[in-house]
Amino acid sequence: MKTTFQVQNLKCGGCARTISNKLSEMEGIKDVIVEKERSSVSFDHQGADGASLVKEALRQMGYPTIDDENGMVLKAKSFVSCANGKLGL
């Protein structure tokens, strides 16, 4: 099943790299495509739980979906995730 989320705090290639790498490591998640220009994350998943697991993983990295709260803590997390992506961590 293909799902696309619009996310917050997606600003650059470092953010996109972090999201792509982390989601691709998740079991049952494939073909991750991050479009920073659209602030979107698309992926294929198996089962009903796949989308909710990805949504929570995005939130934990600091990239909540547009229907979630985006407080200072999540913005700070996205900054760290972005830096890790830029450094290739």
Side-chain angles (χ1 to χ4, degrees):
M1 177 179 287
K2 183 80 152 177
T3 299
T4 301
F5 288 132
Q6 296 295 125
V7 298
Q8 301 178 71
N9 305 329
L10 176 54
K11 306 265 189 259
C12 69
C15 299
R17 189 174 302 109
T18 295
I19 292 169
S20 181
N21 289 344
K22 295 292 184 183
L23 296 184
S24 294
E25 292 173 358
M26 294 176 67
E27 187 175 331
I29 306 301
K30 296 189 270 183
D31 301 324
V32 177
I33 299 170
V34 181
E35 295 184 58
K36 65 181 180 179
E37 297 81 14
R38 293 184 175 166
S39 293
S40 69
V41 179
S42 300
F43 54 95
D44 287 330
H45 60 93
Q46 300 172 352
D49 292 343
S52 61
L53 292 173
V54 167
K55 184 175 181 177
E56 182 57 28
L58 288 166
R59 181 173 175 69
Q60 291 297 319
M61 287 184 274
Y63 304 101
T65 58
I66 58 170
D67 59 337
D68 278 344
E69 181 183 341
N70 186 24
M72 290 301 294
V73 172
L74 291 177
K75 289 177 183 179
K77 283 183 176 184
S78 72
F79 181 77
V80 172
S81 292
C82 175
N84 287 338
K86 286 181 179 179
L87 296 173
L89 302 176

